[in-house]
């Protein structure tokens, strides 16, 4: 398959390191001279820009965390004058003020370049229609893929999210080649197509680029079947750029990082120590190619591992594993760490529907966990006894993976809320 930027994506490791070293030196200087927060932070850590000679010196630098952005809300970490900004995005968290990010024209070009690499790696070509069903607005999903599609020279279709019947109409009438949305919305579009009696093979759709939330390989298989496409993962976060920080190639084996712009490290989340390739820990990025928001060692909270082996696709760029979840999504139930993705993995391995909701509560001193799962349509006509048997089977499977008991409740098909953007999988009623 053609590679969008082979001079970078297939470059030698030595070339990439030299490029990263030059860019790190420049960005640290920019941050130190133009962001008072970084001047203070580096002074406190006893590091000066003059101590940074190569990418190996990165571990001398202090970390940046999400609250640093919030504490300097809205524009306090920007290294450029407001006149030089051409775009602002923001991501809303569950608590507090949103995180605000800004871009110069050069930053938009960097971001669009990453998104174009991702679309190309998913087989996108100039004559394709790229159907963008991520939300447009302050969220980076819609505009990120949109600019990527245009940069590639393909045709962007700014469908935005929602109005599923209209999405399907457009898939049919405009003959979209590639669809971009969250994996949970892709599932919903696929189910709706099935329920409408439309044969997915009658659509021109060839691939999908799905991200913005964790999803498992089992869910990938279901989406691929429902929509009769190949499903590619895409990763990104607003603070670093947006979608296109990393992406799947046709090997679907990890996500290639645009490491010429976003330098990744994996650290032990407790000690901050850098971990060797292959070990799971917290993903950290340094924006070595951006002007407006030059974040240094930003802790993403995403849990994954890195792999620097050459990929069968020919790309040499480092791959990150599919993020397993976020350290702040991790539930601690009766002292045991539980990731929603583990629940999803168990459900899908039993051929259950991936629409589920985890409800955590506290009765007295004891935590309780309930998992609501939608029945498959053929189970709906089952007897009460049959349903109870099925619930027990899922409870046993969850127990053996998670090591804790969860009450399973099978729900009517279609009864759990559907998401057009990021799915909400957990309700935690404990007042922790
Ligand atoms: O979700 C950017 C994006 C848009 C990525 C469209 C991909 C596609 P935020 O709203 O700032 O940005 O959320 C970033 O979402 O730290 C991860 O926890 C999670 N995330 C994003 N992509 C993936 C993925 C966008 N492919 C946060 N797999 C990140 C797992 C993902 N988690």
């Amino acid at each position: 398959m053609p590679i969008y930027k082979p001079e970078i994506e297939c470059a030698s490791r030595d070339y990439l390191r030299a490029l990263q070293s030059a860019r790190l030196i420049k960005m640290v200087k920019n941050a130190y001279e133009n962001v008072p927060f970084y001047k203070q932070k580096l002074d406190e850590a006893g590091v000066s820009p003059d101590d940074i000679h190569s990418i190996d010196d990165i571990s001398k630098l202090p970390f940046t965390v999400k609250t640093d952005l919030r504490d300097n809300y809205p524009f306090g970490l920007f290294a450029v004058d407001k006149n030089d900004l051409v775009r602002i995005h923001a991501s809303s968290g569950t608590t507090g003020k949103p995180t605000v990010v800004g871009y110069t024209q050069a930053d938009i070009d960097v971001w669009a370049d990453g998104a174009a690499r991702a679309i190309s790696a998913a087989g996108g070509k100039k004559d394709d229609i790229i159907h963008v069903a991520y939300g447009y607005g302050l969220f980076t999903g819609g505009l990120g893929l949109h600019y990527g599609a245009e940069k590639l020279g393909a045709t962007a279709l700014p469908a935005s999210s929602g109005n599923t019947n209209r999405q399907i109409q457009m898939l049919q009438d405009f003959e979209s080649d590639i669809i971009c949305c969250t994996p949970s919305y892709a599932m919903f579009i696929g189910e709706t197509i099935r329920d409408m009696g439309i044969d997915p093979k009658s659509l021109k759709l060839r691939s999908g680029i799905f991200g913005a939330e964790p999803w498992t390989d089992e869910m990938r298989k279901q989406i691929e079947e429902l929509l009769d496409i190949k499903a590619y993962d895409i990763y990104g976060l607003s603070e670093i750029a947006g979608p296109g920080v990393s992406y799947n190639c046709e090997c679907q084996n990890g996500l290639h990082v645009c490491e010429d712009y976003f330098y990744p490290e994996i650290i032990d989340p407790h000690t901050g120590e850098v971990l060797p390739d292959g070990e799971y820990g917290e993903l950290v990025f340094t924006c070595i190619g951006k002007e407006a928001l030059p974040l240094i060692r930003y802790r993403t909270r995403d849990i994954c591992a890195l792999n620097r082996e050459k990929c069968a696709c020919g790309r040499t760029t480092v791959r990150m594993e599919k993020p397993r979840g976020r350290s702040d999504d991790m539930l601690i139930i009766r002292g045991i760490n539980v990731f929603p993705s583990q629940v999803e993995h168990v459900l899908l391995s039993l051929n259950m529907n991936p629409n589920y909701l985890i409800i955590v509560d506290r009765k007295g001193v004891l935590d309780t966990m309930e998992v609501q799962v939608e029945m498959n349509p053929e189970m709906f006509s089952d007897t009460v006894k049959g349903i109870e048997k099925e619930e027990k089977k899922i409870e046993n499977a969850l127990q053996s993976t998670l090591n804790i008991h969860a009450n399973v409740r099978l729900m009517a098909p279609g009864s759990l809320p559907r998401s057009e953007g990021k799915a909400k999988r957990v309700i935690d009623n404990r007042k922790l």
Side-chain angles (χ1 to χ4, degrees), residues 356-368:
Y356 66 93
L357 189 62
I358 301 170
I359 301 174
V360 191
D361 222 324
R362 181 162 283 180
K363 304 254 156 67
V365 287
L366 205 65
D367 293 335
T368 60

Side-chain angles (χ1 to χ4, degrees), residues 66 91-92 134 139-142 145 181-182 209-215 233-239 242-244 255 300-302 322-326 329 422:
K66 200 175 183 92
S91 80
S92 51
Y134 285 109
F139 175 56
T140 53
L145 269 306
C181 60
T182 58
I209 305 179
F210 307 124
E213 61 186 7
W215 54 307
D233 203 348
I234 184 167
Y235 169 90
L237 64 165
S238 329
E239 297 90 315
L255 294 99
T300 64
R301 302 273 166 211
D302 292 317
K322 207 175 196 10
R324 279 187 177 171
R326 295 173 58 84
D329 272 358
K422 300 192 192 222

